[in-house]
Amino acid sequence: MKDGQPRFFGPLLNALDNLVGRAVIRLVSAAGPTQQLQAELSAGEMKNDLDLLEGYGFTAQPLPGAIAVCLFVGGERENGAAILAHDQAKRPRTLAPGDVALYTDQDDPAAAAPDAQHRLHFGRDRSVILRAKRLDIQCGNQRLILDETEGLRVQASQIRFEEL
């Protein structure tokens, strides 16, 4: 760098470093309208009450140990929010390119979709695989329950079978 550039770029790089941080989630409070995280940033810096911002219509409660990306408005470390939480130990590793899955910590990350115990998998081959111990579908007063131990139960005012 030329003379003078470190004096100019040093504070700029420091300000950018204060805007974004990677943190390890230590505690989660999910009771309120926005989940609150306690997270440990680099060098042991602990932040309490970080809002976990989630995409509209989607929510998940991350487990302690998951990684979060944190943003600090204006570089002020007192004004932060987590925008993403990721648990690399739990993420399924058997998806084909383009596949999508919803999963929990109860699933085996190495399990293929047909062998997973708790996953909703959308395949590029237009397949949908839902793995669960209990499936409960309600539509108005009608209900279909498929349970691993109880079998199939239908609560309906009318059952009609038609040929396709």
Side-chain angles (χ1 to χ4, degrees):
M1 286 188 185
K2 294 181 181 179
D3 289 336
Q5 285 183 342
R7 281 183 282 162
F8 174 75
F9 286 114
L12 182 62
L13 292 174
N14 191 35
L16 286 174
D17 192 43
N18 283 333
L19 287 174
V20 180
R22 184 177 173 149
V24 177
I25 296 171
R26 297 296 177 209
L27 294 172
V28 178
S29 174
T34 301
Q35 293 186 76
Q36 300 289 301
L37 305 180
Q38 179 188 66
E40 183 177 350
L41 286 107
S42 59
E45 179 185 4
M46 292 296 289
K47 288 293 169 197
N48 295 311
D49 300 326
L50 287 170
D51 289 336
L52 175 56
L53 305 179
E54 301 172 295
Y56 177 80
F58 295 92
T59 188
Q61 185 174 339
L63 295 171
I67 304 297
V69 174
C70 300
L71 297 179
F72 299 94
V73 178
E76 298 292 327
R77 293 293 223 188
E78 299 306 315
N79 190 10
I83 59 166
L84 183 64
H86 171 69
D87 194 331
Q88 51 200 22
K90 305 298 181 188
R91 185 187 67 78
R93 292 162 174 70
T94 58
L95 302 181
D99 284 5
V100 176
L102 298 175
Y103 61 96
T104 72
D105 65 310
Q106 297 172 343
D107 200 5
D108 176 3
D115 301 321
Q117 296 301 308
H118 199 252
R119 188 185 300 174
L120 176 57
H121 182 110
F122 297 90
R124 287 195 68 224
D125 62 357
R126 300 178 66 187
S127 65
V128 177
I129 300 170
L130 172 61
R131 297 298 306 249
K133 290 185 177 217
R134 181 180 172 92
L135 178 62
D136 188 334
I137 301 171
Q138 289 184 262
C139 182
N141 293 329
Q142 317 304 312
R143 189 169 183 187
L144 173 85
I145 300 170
L146 185 56
D147 187 278
E148 181 179 62
T149 56
E150 296 176 16
L152 175 65
R153 189 168 78 213
V154 178
Q155 298 171 341
S157 58
Q158 182 182 36
I159 298 175
R160 184 174 60 224
F161 295 97
E162 297 179 6
E163 270 189 57
L164 296 176

